[in-house]
Amino acid sequence: MPSATESSSPPKEAVEQYRPNLMNQSPAEFMRPTTRTRGTSNAKTNGVGVQVEDTRICVVMVGLPARGKSLIAQKVVRYLGWLSITAKCFNVGNYRRTATPQPNAAFFDTSNKEGERLRKAAAEAAVADMVKWFKKPDNLIAILDATNSTKARRRWIKERCDAEGIESLFVESKCDDEDIIMSNILEVKTTSPDYQGQDPEEAAKDFRERIKMYERVYETLDEDEADMTYCKIIDVGAQVIINRIQDYLQSRVVYYLMNLHIKPRSIWISRHGESMYNLSGQIGGDADLSTRGEMYAKALPDLVKQSAGDLPLTVWTSTLKRTAQTARYLPYEKLSWKALDELDSGVCDGLTYAEIAQNYPEDFKARDDDKYNYRYLGGESYRDVVIRLEPIIMELERSENILIVTHQAVLRCIYAYFMGSPQDKSPWMEVPLHTLIKLTPRAYKTEEERMFANIPAVSTFREKGSKAQHQETEESTRRNSPMISGEAKA
Amino acid sequence: MDTLLTADVAAKSLNFRRRSSTYVDAIHDLPEKESMAPAQLYSTESGRLFHSGRIVIATVGLPARGKTHTSVALARYLRWLGVKTHIFHLGDYRRAFVGAKGEVPDDYFHVNASTSSVLLRNKILKKCREDILNFLNHENGQIAIYDAVNPLAGGRRALAKEFEKHNVQTMFIESTCTDERIIEENVRSVKISSPDYIGWKPEDAVQDYLKRINARIPHYETVEESDLHYVKMINAGERVVVNNCAFGYLSQRIVFYLLNLHIKSRQTYFCRAGTTRDEENYKGDASLSAEGQDYARKMSEALIAHRESEHQNLIKQGAPESSALKPLTIWTSTRKRTVETASYLENKGYRVRQRSQMSQLNPGVCEKLSERRIRELFPDEVAKHEQDPYHHRYPRAESYHDLAVRLEPIILELEREQNDLLIIAHESVLRVLYGYLMACSAHDIPNLEFPRDEIIEIIPASYNNSAKRIHISDLPSRLVPGSPEDIKIPVPPSGTISPLSGMGTPAGTGTATPETSGREAGLLPLRGNISTRP
């Protein structure tokens, strides 16, 4: 009779015969798994512990209301999505609202049995949906946004995750700074769906009552939860406790969390001024500015000043001539980054779209079909550009006011990071020349403002399927482009 | 005695400082001249990076807690990022003062030590701190790693205060273990190889060593000073407490790195991809030729045989019969030639991962051109390139620096990986990764050579890594030295890398080991440069 212990470890041959399928792979995977071993085997190990490829992580937010949990959750989703790691936020409040759209503070009293039951039901529904969502092989990181304020609730979530083979990473935001809590209450919670249409003063008062209800039962992550993977952020990073990080992807999430700050700031982005290549309709290259491009460079300091006033700024450019020339009259400190160089178009560098359509008809079509993943022969794809922009984004998160002068494709990628634009849309976004874009990150979405220098330029925008020459369109420099709207709160 | 010079310290302490050589892990060398580091993104006027100011990283922890391992790994990463970093091991200073054979007094680490011990202790500390401040104040150093026990809260406060006077931040990194097994394992692997323990049973040696530590350092206070910047790593990073460290880009970066560090040792192997059908083409993605397939098979067999014989050696040296070989994982780029080179091993059941960041250096305009032709077409570029082959970029090409920056995620995963690792990639990628593991200077990296008939093995150790070559026999000779698919970017003949090995000889004594002995012993990982090619 076989003993029970034998059946718990996979047979030796099965381990040795494990072979990933390497064929179905996107051209430029970053942290994305190459293969997944889902379904039948549930084999998370290769005899040597957890493999990066096999990880699915549930990031569980922990903390009292008004501690910035939703802000953190949204930023992580946007950051991961931008890196092509499919992430989704499950907000327990949204589930609860379907039953009780606008409860008052008494609903959150733990002695209110009905309230307690409804809130537990909402958590269960959210976790059940999350588990269902994880069945799809590409879905990697879920964020469970709720207070999860008791040890019992957290243990329950961990056990649910363990049973499904999902790693859990608890992220607690613990903060006692009255100023931060108050500004959170005012800016975020008075616009919450729970208080829509109510008097803001009353809403804030009720909300503070609600926080008190939670404070009575709140238990912070501590020693007797040492078996869990967690990251506890105390007073916006004054102290961070990181427990049992299991893989690179988790460390990446924690590193990102540690770099976030919540000071108000803006980022300005602009393309370089019109270049000689823009005039001739060629792509790529390292051309000088045209006369009109030079005019834009001269107009830029005033345009920036109108928008930024006397704020301290740092200017970042690429290493190509046209961005340095565009930025040269700006009276700020400047840094040039190779990572901000334009998408490398490989063999097509220096050609016009018409020439590409003629010489590489198949490539031209392939690019239209999937512009985000299409990699020019010997060059780069949008996905490749995102990979090399990653350190820039981390540095941007750490910095305050930055003005970036860069190129069309790179600008689209940075814009997509802040606005959460989907990959099938972001490469097609129209960004006219001689336009300054101001992005201001707010709690639930990024605000955008566009300023036009009113200096004519060719349009370099090419619609899907078209091989249009770069056209002289007066209005393209004046009108608002079809913006891709930023995401709203889930 | 007070005027003891650093040179004397170097001469008396075997590992303190070495001559520059690419065969030896250069992590303890002070770079001799200013040049940008492998992955440095930009340089500032002061030579310091990221506007993060100057930092002393002071280790805290009893012996055998992995302090030296952490210091060395961190220095390797920071230097690679372009942060001018140097490690100051207090133990090296102590040994230099009392001589190689000498012993410090028994009460040297005691709180109530005798006057003479206190004097000696203060003298050693003073010298070490003077060197640290000199490095930060006068040599454009940005991070000094002060590797010492730093056992008492009072001493740590005083240290932070002293550096504060010089406008230098102090960040403490404590290594502590609540799990006895980790400590014992650590003692077994690094501490009891000393002559004192020859002939001892390992368990007895471990216990004796721990007893001696406890007697010598009876007072130890864990870091809990909330006003200080500190990172506490508990049980080899299982739990990390980060206190008050959000003061700059570098401090956060350091924590990120520490989250990926583990102290288990494993081997890394580097080898080239096989040759392809379309030799000269960078942009085309050709499959392996028949010859390339043959190479893949021979390389794989050589590696398997080598690992097996190493394993047998271990068993001969007393490892238990049952101890298994560490599993081997293979990383390739997404280029067909590297993927196909790995497929022989993949068919044997080894795990293969493709990493897009590991594609080769983009040659830009130099593609398909011979060196002679490049010199004709771009004489100015060649001249610039010879000035700085690491950072110069031919038109539309990538520089080695660009390559290093894009390889950063690979470096971190390399630290995290617990299996043995075979990396099959283009020579340009191998150069940069080898440069990281062996702390080569940006100047040397473009000149490193990876002949196709050799697998390079990097053997880790806490104080420094070492490299070894594994020969692949029976390869057609024309495959070996050249690299037909290579980018023929001309590199200047360099006098700095001599094919003679420095082999860890301390500066000053200067006796070079003859070439042949190194070769036979497998201790010469790399040949010199292009000028030594037949």
Side-chain angles (χ1 to χ4, degrees):
Chain A
M1 215 170 107
S3 72
T5 50
E6 265 177 31
S7 58
S8 64
S9 64
K12 200 156 173 273
E13 302 80 57
V15 173
E16 280 174 359
Q17 281 172 5
Y18 171 80
R19 277 190 53 203
N21 170 19
L22 290 164
M23 293 302 120
N24 306 321
Q25 196 186 322
S26 67
E29 61 104 15
F30 177 35
M31 297 186 300
R32 225 173 132 73
T34 49
T35 52
R36 305 296 296 277
T37 52
R38 285 279 177 80
T40 52
S41 66
N42 197 22
K44 283 193 54 162
T45 64
N46 186 24
V48 284
V50 178
Q51 300 292 311
V52 180
E53 287 92 334
D54 302 320
T55 51
R56 288 174 295 169
I57 305 171
C58 173
V59 177
V60 187
M61 303 306 300
V62 175
L64 290 167
R67 263 62 178 186
K69 292 189 304 297
S70 296
L71 168 70
I72 294 171
Q74 290 299 321
K75 287 210 93 149
V76 172
V77 168
R78 215 182 296 157
Y79 169 69
L80 293 169
W82 186 74
L83 292 173
S84 300
I85 296 169
T86 318
K88 187 175 155 101
C89 181
F90 294 84
N91 183 306
V92 174
N94 287 345
Y95 286 84
R96 188 256 306 145
R97 268 187 284 276
T98 56
T100 30
Q102 293 198 323
N104 62 20
F107 176 84
F108 298 92
D109 187 339
T110 39
S111 59
N112 177 344
K113 287 277 177 277
E114 178 62 8
E116 186 72 3
R117 191 186 65 77
L118 285 171
R119 283 185 294 126
K120 180 77 198 280
E124 272 169 8
V127 171
D129 271 6
M130 178 188 80
V131 168
K132 212 161 99 194
W133 180 80
F134 268 131
K135 301 281 184 222
K136 195 163 165 270
D138 279 345
N139 295 343
L140 288 183
I141 299 190
I143 295 162
L144 196 62
D145 182 12
T147 53
N148 298 314
S149 50
T150 63
K151 289 182 182 178
R153 173 64 59 87
R154 295 195 289 266
R155 186 58 62 185
W156 172 76
I157 293 170
K158 182 177 190 316
E159 281 165 6
R160 282 297 309 265
C161 288
D162 287 354
E164 299 290 336
I166 299 165
E167 292 175 4
S168 45
L169 165 64
F170 292 84
V171 174
E172 178 174 7
S173 172
K174 190 172 185 297
C175 171
D176 300 321
D177 185 324
E178 270 306 315
D179 290 348
I180 292 175
I181 297 170
M182 275 315 292
S183 74
N184 258 328
I185 290 175
L186 292 175
E187 188 191 330
V188 181
K189 296 303 176 178
T190 51
T191 60
S192 152
D194 281 353
Y195 295 109
Q196 215 162 23
Q198 296 185 15
D199 174 48
E201 288 290 314
E202 283 297 309
K205 193 162 156 254
D206 184 83
F207 191 66
R208 253 170 288 178
E209 283 300 308
R210 186 197 290 193
I211 295 173
K212 277 197 194 123
M213 298 297 177
Y214 275 108
E215 276 170 350
R216 281 188 216 158
V217 294
Y218 182 64
E219 296 166 300
T220 185
L221 278 163
D222 69 25
E223 303 289 334
D224 58 3
E225 289 169 298
D227 62 316
M228 295 181 172
T229 296
Y230 65 79
C231 168
K232 180 168 167 175
I233 302 168
I234 301 160
D235 288 334
V236 201
Q239 191 171 68
V240 183
I241 298 168
I242 303 151
N243 195 59
R244 286 190 184 273
I245 290 296
Q246 296 166 68
D247 51 52
Y248 175 76
L249 194 48
Q250 289 182 352
S251 79
R252 192 93 217 179
V253 172
V254 170
Y255 173 54
Y256 179 70
L257 292 172
M258 287 175 48
N259 274 297
L260 293 181
H261 72 76
I262 48 175
K263 288 184 209 140
R265 56 88 175 258
S266 295
I267 287 141
W268 287 264
I269 40 181
S270 170
R271 293 176 60 188
H272 53 82
E274 183 186 73
S275 74
M276 300 309 283
Y277 262 34
N278 292 150
L279 282 178
S280 55
Q282 291 162 281
I283 65 169
D286 190 7
D288 289 312
L289 293 186
S290 71
T291 318
R292 293 186 301 195
E294 186 63 23
M295 283 165 68
Y296 178 65
K298 290 203 171 113
L300 195 54
D302 275 345
L303 200 59
V304 172
K305 182 104 184 169
Q306 277 169 33
S307 173
D310 294 324
L311 286 174
L313 269 178
T314 305
V315 180
W316 294 357
T317 66
S318 75
T319 62
L320 298 173
K321 283 189 284 188
R322 51 196 188 273
T323 62
Q325 288 171 2
T326 306
R328 76 177 136 191
Y329 303 110
L330 290 163
Y332 310 104
E333 184 191 358
K334 296 181 196 96
L335 296 173
S336 78
W337 301 73
K338 174 71 179 165
L340 289 172
D341 280 5
E342 178 60 314
L343 184 143
D344 179 358
S345 44
V347 291
C348 297
D349 189 74
L351 302 185
T352 63
Y353 284 125
E355 285 166 342
I356 298 172
Q358 194 185 348
N359 298 339
Y360 303 95
E362 279 171 29
D363 285 81
F364 195 71
K365 185 176 176 311
R367 185 156 199 261
D368 272 7
D369 290 345
D370 185 357
K371 195 172 177 185
Y372 189 79
N373 287 309
Y374 172 78
R375 182 188 280 147
Y376 277 108
L377 204 55
E380 287 179 305
S381 64
Y382 272 84
R383 187 186 288 279
D384 294 339
V385 173
V386 161
I387 291 171
R388 72 163 141 96
L389 279 177
E390 215 271 342
I392 294 276
I393 291 297
M394 211 56 98
E395 194 56 27
L396 260 181
E397 281 299 347
R398 288 191 35 74
S399 311
E400 294 190 20
N401 300 302
I402 300 286
L403 165 60
I404 305 173
V405 181
T406 181
H407 307 264
Q408 179 161 266
V410 174
L411 192 151
R412 282 171 175 156
C413 293
I414 294 174
Y415 183 91
Y417 168 76
F418 283 103
M419 304 303 280
S421 334
Q423 290 173 0
D424 59 336
K425 297 235 169 55
S426 63
W428 295 101
M429 188 188 69
E430 187 178 356
V431 198
L433 285 165
H434 303 175
T435 306
L436 181 66
I437 300 174
K438 178 187 182 189
L439 299 175
T440 309
R442 300 263 185 233
Y444 290 124
K445 66 172 205 287
T446 305
E447 281 172 12
E448 178 187 358
E449 202 186 322
R450 292 194 179 197
M451 286 140 285
F452 304 94
N454 292 327
I455 295 165
V458 293
S459 164
T460 56
F461 181 68
R462 182 184 70 86
E463 271 175 63
K464 203 182 250 197
S466 132
K467 51 187 176 219
Q469 291 275 335
H470 291 174
Q471 285 151 1
E472 182 87 24
T473 49
E474 188 68 13
E475 75 208 278
S476 72
T477 62
R478 297 187 184 279
R479 71 184 155 152
N480 275 325
S481 358
M483 284 181 220
I484 295 158
S485 56
E487 59 187 342
K489 188 181 182 185
Chain B
M1 265 308 261
D2 278 338
T3 55
L4 195 78
L5 297 171
T6 307
D8 297 328
V9 177
K12 284 184 193 159
S13 172
L14 196 67
N15 285 318
F16 189 64
R17 216 170 155 183
R18 269 180 288 258
R19 288 191 319 161
S20 179
S21 156
T22 52
Y23 322 113
V24 180
D25 186 357
I27 192 64
H28 299 285
D29 298 353
L30 267 170
E32 275 157 28
K33 57 177 181 287
E34 297 301 320
S35 79
M36 276 174 80
Q40 185 168 345
L41 282 176
Y42 55 89
S43 69
T44 58
E45 253 171 61
S46 65
R48 299 193 185 101
L49 273 193
F50 307 123
H51 316 288
S52 280
R54 295 167 301 162
I55 306 174
V56 169
I57 294 174
T59 61
V60 177
L62 291 168
R65 264 64 172 183
K67 290 191 303 297
T68 300
H69 173 83
T70 307
S71 313
V72 171
L74 198 53
R76 191 185 301 289
Y77 178 66
L78 289 169
R79 277 199 191 174
W80 194 77
L81 281 181
V83 182
K84 194 164 176 192
T85 307
H86 192 67
I87 313 173
F88 297 84
H89 298 284
L90 191 58
D92 286 343
Y93 283 84
R94 203 161 50 232
R95 280 184 284 275
F97 267 83
V98 300
K101 292 259 156 55
E103 278 279 340
V104 294
D106 282 343
D107 64 350
Y108 182 82
F109 292 100
H110 289 204
V111 174
N112 303 314
S114 66
T115 319
S116 65
S117 291
V118 171
L119 279 177
L120 178 65
R121 199 164 69 192
N122 288 346
K123 204 187 274 175
I124 293 170
L125 285 175
K126 184 163 170 266
K127 179 67 196 144
C128 186
R129 285 176 200 177
E130 275 171 13
D131 280 2
I132 290 175
L133 283 171
N134 186 52
F135 172 70
L136 294 175
N137 288 334
H138 305 298
E139 294 176 35
N140 278 333
Q142 186 159 19
I143 292 194
I145 300 182
Y146 175 47
D147 180 15
V149 178
N150 292 315
L152 300 175
R156 294 191 290 258
R157 275 225 174 76
L159 189 72
K161 211 177 234 172
E162 189 192 323
F163 288 127
E164 182 74 52
K165 276 189 236 155
H166 296 266
N167 207 10
V168 173
Q169 305 260 32
T170 308
M171 181 173 171
F172 292 91
I173 298 184
E174 180 179 17
S175 308
T176 162
C177 291
T178 55
D179 186 342
E180 289 297 321
R181 283 170 306 174
I182 296 176
I183 303 172
E184 285 171 18
E185 180 57 40
N186 214 348
V187 173
R188 196 169 297 132
S189 64
V190 292
K191 301 289 183 185
I192 60 171
S193 50
S194 83
D196 292 0
Y197 289 113
I198 286 171
W200 285 56
K201 267 205 279 182
E203 305 89 83
D204 297 346
V206 169
Q207 289 315 319
D208 181 74
Y209 181 86
L210 290 175
K211 221 161 73 195
R212 276 170 51 180
I213 291 176
N214 290 338
R216 286 175 67 82
I217 312 177
H219 300 282
Y220 180 78
E221 296 162 6
T222 187
V223 185
E224 255 150 14
E225 301 88 283
S226 63
D227 50 324
L228 299 180
H229 309 297
Y230 71 80
V231 178
K232 189 189 279 224
M233 296 180 70
I234 303 160
N235 292 339
E238 181 183 288
R239 184 180 173 87
V240 179
V241 178
V242 184
N243 185 71
N244 201 4
C245 281
F247 60 87
Y249 175 80
L250 283 177
S251 57
Q252 305 280 47
R253 194 88 208 176
I254 287 166
V255 175
F256 175 47
Y257 181 77
L258 292 176
L259 290 179
N260 283 292
L261 195 63
H262 67 84
I263 50 177
K264 297 203 184 81
S265 72
R266 56 156 186 82
Q267 322 294 89
T268 308
Y269 306 94
F270 292 128
C271 78
R272 301 270 304 275
T275 46
T276 62
R277 288 181 216 145
D278 186 4
E279 299 299 354
E280 301 287 317
N281 200 336
Y282 161 75
K283 283 170 188 162
D285 192 3
S287 283
L288 288 187
S289 60
E291 214 164 40
Q293 298 281 5
D294 182 57
Y295 163 79
R297 186 176 55 80
K298 286 174 176 158
M299 181 277 293
S300 305
E301 278 167 2
L303 180 67
I304 292 169
H306 169 79
R307 283 166 56 79
E308 191 45 48
S309 84
E310 293 279 283
H311 186 217
Q312 291 307 325
N313 280 345
L314 271 182
I315 290 174
K316 257 184 236 152
Q317 285 163 20
E321 288 277 345
S322 58
S323 64
L325 263 172
K326 209 171 253 263
L328 176 72
T329 299
I330 297 133
W331 289 359
T332 70
S333 75
T334 49
R335 296 236 144 204
K336 275 195 195 127
R337 62 174 71 103
T338 64
V339 175
E340 290 176 11
T341 304
S343 60
Y344 185 84
L345 285 165
E346 198 194 350
N347 288 333
K348 283 193 168 294
Y350 291 94
R351 194 183 178 98
V352 178
R353 286 187 71 190
Q354 294 181 28
R355 315 300 314 255
S356 70
Q357 296 98 327
M358 295 199 330
S359 7
Q360 74 195 69
L361 190 91
N362 184 336
V365 294
C366 299
E367 192 194 358
K368 294 187 191 178
L369 297 180
S370 68
E371 185 174 336
R372 195 171 51 99
R373 192 89 184 102
I374 295 170
R375 286 183 187 280
E376 274 167 29
L377 287 172
F378 311 103
D380 295 351
E381 296 290 340
V382 172
K384 279 188 212 156
H385 193 83
E386 296 194 339
Q387 287 297 310
D388 187 357
Y390 189 83
H391 296 98
H392 172 260
R393 189 186 286 133
Y394 279 96
R396 318 300 299 142
E398 268 183 313
S399 66
Y400 275 93
H401 175 247
D402 297 334
L403 179 60
V405 170
R406 94 167 129 86
L407 281 173
E408 208 211 332
I410 297 289
I411 296 287
L412 283 165
E413 289 224 44
L414 198 70
E415 288 297 344
R416 173 164 282 285
E417 182 68 54
Q418 313 233 350
N419 293 353
D420 284 349
L421 193 60
L422 168 65
I423 295 179
I424 304 176
H426 187 267
E427 194 166 28
S428 55
V429 173
L430 299 183
R431 283 174 179 148
V432 172
L433 294 177
Y434 182 93
Y436 168 76
L437 287 173
M438 299 297 282
C440 298
S441 74
H443 189 76
D444 291 340
I445 287 174
N447 296 318
L448 299 173
E449 274 197 14
F450 293 83
R452 205 175 254 107
D453 63 343
E454 280 168 0
I455 300 168
I456 303 295
E457 178 181 20
I458 310 281
I459 301 153
S462 72
Y463 199 84
N464 59 285
N465 294 338
S466 55
K468 189 173 172 179
R469 36 171 79 182
I470 302 157
H471 184 67
I472 307 171
S473 41
D474 298 334
L475 287 177
S477 60
R478 70 200 150 81
L479 266 188
V480 177
S483 24
E485 86 278 26
D486 239 6
I487 306 149
K488 295 203 175 51
I489 290 179
V491 288
S494 149
T496 56
I497 310 172
S498 121
L500 295 177
S501 165
M503 298 245 328
T505 316
T509 53
T511 46
T513 312
E515 186 179 12
T516 46
S517 73
R519 173 92 199 193
E520 274 159 19
L523 283 166
L524 284 176
L526 296 182
R527 278 199 272 270
N529 55 60
I530 201 157
S531 63
T532 65
R533 270 188 188 173

